[in-house]
Amino acid sequence: MKYVVVTGGVASGLGKGVTASSIGVLLKACGLRVTFIKIDPYLNIDAGTISPSEHGEVFVLDDGGEVDLDLGNYERFLDIQLTRDNNITYGKILQSVLDKERKGEYLGQTVQVAKHVTNEVQEWIKHVAMVPVDGKEGHADVCIIELGGTIGDIESMIFTEAFSQFFDGLGSDNFCLVHVSFVPVLNVVGEQKTKPTQHSVRTLRGAGLTPDALVCRSSKKLEENVKEKLSQFCHVKKTCIFTLHNVQNIWHVPLLLKDQKAHDAILKVLNLQSASWELNMEEWEGRATKYDNLHDTVTIAIVGKYSELSDAYLSVVKALLHASLACSRKLRHDFIDSTNLEDSAAKERPEAYNAAWSLLKGADGILVPGGFGDRGTKGKILAAKYARENNVPYLGICLGMQIAVIEFARHVMNFPHANSTEFDPDTKTPCVIFMPEGSKTHMGGTMRLGSRRTFFKTNDCKSARLYGDVNYIDERHRHRYEVNPDMVPIFENAGLQFVGRDETGRRMEIIEMPDHRFYVGVQFHPEFKSRPSKPSALFVGLVAASSAQLEHVLEKSSTGDTTVL
């Protein structure tokens, strides 16, 4: 097994995940099988209990793992299927060590960080690296490991020590360390400054790790003299220093690395040069070029309460991007804080209120994503009501579906007190209720998680046609509340159709309004399985309806044509 380790310095948010994913794309294009591990040095067992406002979205895997959003990047870029074990956290490592200590597996030894914890990290890596993630037999050729955080953080020290020990036993041609750093350009003089990267590499070396390659984030391409300076003071070959400057779309990133022959440098370090002749990036080049040349736009309003951090809805935005490319449209997405749509905002924040409603009314389509808690729910209900009454394409995901059900009950069925027991435990009309198998005392890992099957009640609906007239689909879930099944007959008599259900028929998965241009709500999260080459069917439906192409797309989907347009 060969290993590529990606670390980051100077600042967080430089794009280590995209860099690691892009390296994976290059190696896969060379004919190699690739797997990934993301290490997060926080004490949480997983990302499931972390607020999206603090850490970005929680990405959900088929096996129900609630993991860091970078695993979503890996899956999207390489079209692979990861497991919860591909995300290592400090909390998982400590839990495993302490469980072993309680069972007496250390035979009376004093349990220590520098031996038992670091050994646990290494064992976890070696085990997970051998598990195939591409649907084929046998293990991958290369495991790419991304270390979260920034080199020098106290939280990362245990992992850098584990790497140092791990690499010592591997042999120099079995691992390649890629360090992602930042080269700022000072506006005053317009000069690229190398000192932050120099200090970052010095810190990395102090941790016992020596970089084989540097990936430098900058607003513009690195100048040759800057590369020479970095090579001299960071002790990295000039041919192993690469620029990732600002580009028009994310699909250019692997191409930037390809043009600089990053794959050749990495393969040389790993003693795998014989694989490089197979490099084929035609699909990526075509995708990047096509999106750059699109001119007709489609505007989708994303109405949520985590609008201050775009990463909170990262997979939603990526799925919209995939769908817009399939529909030959340039995507424009506007984040709308749902609290600014509420009546109280008109009095307290009139400028924000007017701006929010202006964006909503100017959008071609509306999407209400998942979320938890009652803050902002009134604004989401108003957005759903506006979409329903004005025939504006609407897609509600998880909570967004529940919001659509509540809005329909209140304003169509005349149940003014209709609500979810999440927001009002004593509501007189509980349209959405707590799932019986859920836990109200333990938050982590207690929801309905992972891939579940949805059966179509009828194929004569937009959702089924978008999926290609199949009888069932498998999509990923993350929720602890669901539509009250006892109220379903009343809803359907009033015109809201529940066209998708689970195997028992009691758990509602998909709603539609047949007479609406496109009004769909789903309990699952279709964004998690969307890929650039395989866009989510429902996101394609939303974008197509928002750009007057839905009938054409439905016709092509029904014939099994996945190219869409």
Side-chain angles (χ1 to χ4, degrees):
M1 175 65 69
K2 306 284 187 177
Y3 296 90
V4 175
V5 175
V6 179
T7 59
V10 181
S12 60
L14 292 179
K16 293 191 303 296
V18 174
T19 300
S21 301
S22 299
I23 291 172
V25 168
L26 292 180
L27 297 182
K28 182 179 179 180
C30 291
L32 296 167
R33 294 175 63 196
V34 182
T35 187
F36 285 87
I37 294 174
K38 172 66 190 295
I39 295 178
D40 286 302
Y42 47 67
L43 281 172
N44 303 65
I45 299 299
D46 55 38
T49 58
I50 305 177
S51 168
S53 297
E54 179 177 333
H55 194 69
E57 76 171 4
V58 176
F59 190 80
V60 179
L61 302 170
D62 269 5
D63 67 356
E66 297 174 282
V67 296
D68 183 82
L69 57 82
D70 280 316
L71 275 79
N73 283 325
Y74 308 154
E75 285 203 343
R76 283 187 289 269
F77 270 61
L78 277 84
D79 193 18
I80 55 179
Q81 184 176 305
L82 300 171
T83 72
R84 66 178 78 236
D85 288 342
N86 291 90
N87 192 189
I88 301 175
T89 69
Y90 199 0
K92 283 182 180 178
I93 295 297
L94 289 181
Q95 185 180 58
S96 180
V97 168
L98 293 175
D99 285 346
K100 289 180 179 179
E101 185 273 333
R102 291 290 85 186
K103 294 176 183 177
E105 292 187 21
Y106 295 122
L107 302 177
Q109 298 178 42
T110 301
V111 180
Q112 298 175 310
V113 169
K115 177 182 179 182
H116 299 95
V117 176
T118 53
N119 285 351
E120 186 70 23
V121 173
Q122 296 173 62
E123 291 303 315
W124 195 302
I125 290 173
K126 286 188 286 187
H127 168 71
V128 175
M130 301 300 289
V131 178
V133 295
D134 56 4
K136 300 177 182 178
E137 295 292 328
H139 62 78
D141 301 303
V142 180
C143 178
I144 299 176
I145 306 171
E146 178 192 346
L147 177 59
T150 306
I151 287 296
D153 293 346
I154 191 170
E155 295 91 347
S156 301
M157 292 173 64
I158 185 64
F159 294 104
T160 54
E161 175 61 27
F163 283 150
S164 180
Q165 296 175 15
F166 189 42
F167 293 161
D168 282 344
L170 279 180
S172 60
D173 63 348
N174 287 322
F175 69 90
C176 176
L177 179 57
V178 179
H179 189 58
V180 182
S181 189
F182 181 49
V183 177
V185 179
L186 298 184
N187 291 333
V188 177
V189 292
E191 181 183 0
Q192 292 178 321
K193 292 295 184 179
T194 64
K195 269 292 188 285
T197 296
Q198 291 181 46
H199 286 301
S200 179
V201 171
R202 189 175 297 120
T203 302
L204 187 65
R205 289 179 176 278
L209 300 174
T210 301
D212 297 293
L214 289 179
V215 173
C216 299
R217 288 283 288 113
S218 187
S219 58
K220 61 181 182 179
K221 186 177 180 180
L222 285 187
E223 298 168 4
E224 286 303 310
N225 67 309
V226 173
K227 276 191 176 185
E228 291 172 0
K229 193 172 182 181
L230 285 171
S231 177
Q232 178 182 358
F233 291 103
C234 297
H235 306 287
V236 176
K237 294 178 181 178
K238 187 178 174 182
T239 54
C240 293
I241 299 176
F242 313 107
T243 311
L244 285 185
H245 54 79
N246 297 342
V247 290
Q248 289 180 278
N249 67 66
I250 197 172
W251 296 314
H252 280 290
V253 178
L255 301 177
L256 279 180
L257 291 176
K258 167 185 169 285
D259 292 342
Q260 297 171 78
K261 300 189 180 301
H263 55 290
D264 282 340
I266 293 171
L267 292 171
K268 186 175 182 180
V269 173
L270 297 175
N271 195 22
L272 289 170
Q273 297 98 311
S274 60
S276 61
W277 66 272
E278 297 184 28
L279 185 68
N280 183 351
M281 299 289 288
E282 288 183 8
E283 180 183 346
W284 280 88
E285 290 170 352
R287 185 181 299 125
T289 301
K290 178 181 177 181
Y291 196 76
D292 285 345
N293 293 326
L294 293 177
H295 299 290
D296 296 333
T297 62
V298 61
T299 302
I300 305 296
I302 302 174
V303 182
K305 65 177 182 179
Y306 307 120
S307 57
E308 68 275 12
L309 182 65
S310 61
D311 275 358
Y313 302 115
L314 182 64
S315 290
V316 168
V317 173
K318 298 303 180 186
L320 285 172
L321 188 63
H322 303 160
S324 65
L325 183 68
C327 293
S328 298
R329 290 293 184 273
K330 180 80 78 173
L331 175 67
R332 174 183 170 182
H333 59 278
D334 292 325
F335 289 110
I336 299 177
D337 188 330
S338 57
T339 61
N340 289 332
L341 296 172
E342 298 173 358
D343 294 340
S344 59
K347 299 177 182 178
E348 299 168 3
R349 306 180 301 278
E351 290 185 4
Y353 175 84
N354 292 330
W357 274 103
S358 177
L359 287 175
L360 189 74
K361 292 179 178 180
D364 300 310
I366 297 171
L367 188 151
V368 177
F372 298 93
D374 63 350
R375 183 175 68 86
T377 54
K378 292 179 181 178
K380 294 175 185 178
I381 290 172
L382 288 169
K385 181 174 184 286
Y386 175 82
R388 178 181 58 80
E389 292 181 341
N390 292 277
N391 204 26
V392 176
Y394 175 90
L395 177 60
I397 298 173
C398 197
L399 177 60
M401 167 183 162
Q402 297 170 9
I403 287 293
V405 170
I406 294 169
E407 189 281 322
F408 190 88
R410 288 184 183 181
H411 303 117
V412 176
M413 299 168 60
N414 296 317
F415 292 134
H417 300 292
N419 215 332
S420 167
T421 55
E422 180 182 8
F423 314 139
D424 181 5
D426 301 317
T427 177
K428 297 177 182 178
T429 313
C431 299
V432 179
I433 59 174
F434 191 79
M435 293 189 305
E437 70 269 38
S439 172
K440 293 186 177 181
T441 58
H442 290 74
M443 304 299 288
T446 59
M447 290 184 276
R448 186 170 181 244
L449 292 164
S451 182
R452 307 295 176 113
R453 184 154 290 180
T454 294
F455 292 87
F456 286 105
K457 185 180 177 184
T458 173
N459 281 343
D460 187 22
C461 63
K462 295 182 180 71
S463 301
R465 292 177 65 190
L466 285 166
Y467 276 103
D469 290 327
V470 295
N471 294 322
Y472 63 84
I473 54 173
D474 294 313
E475 293 281 10
R476 298 175 183 178
H477 293 66
R478 185 176 186 251
H479 65 107
R480 55 168 52 91
Y481 287 83
E482 62 183 357
V483 174
N484 185 349
D486 295 333
M487 290 190 66
V488 168
I490 308 173
F491 278 110
E492 293 202 314
N493 287 336
L496 188 65
Q497 299 301 303
F498 293 82
V499 300
R501 308 185 183 193
D502 76 340
E503 66 278 1
T504 69
R506 293 275 297 171
R507 192 155 267 160
M508 303 302 117
E509 295 282 4
I510 307 175
I511 63 167
E512 281 193 20
M513 290 187 65
D515 296 332
H516 195 283
R517 186 152 53 116
F518 186 86
Y519 196 90
V520 177
V522 293
Q523 187 58 72
F524 47 82
H525 289 263
E527 68 270 25
F528 292 144
K529 292 180 72 171
S530 183
R531 306 286 182 262
S533 58
K534 303 174 185 176
S536 164
L538 295 175
F539 278 82
V540 169
L542 174 65
V543 173
S546 302
S547 54
Q549 303 178 77
L550 183 59
E551 286 305 316
H552 180 56
V553 167
L554 289 174
E555 289 176 9
K556 298 201 76 173
S557 298
S558 296
T559 62
D561 189 341
T562 58
T563 59
V564 186
L565 295 174

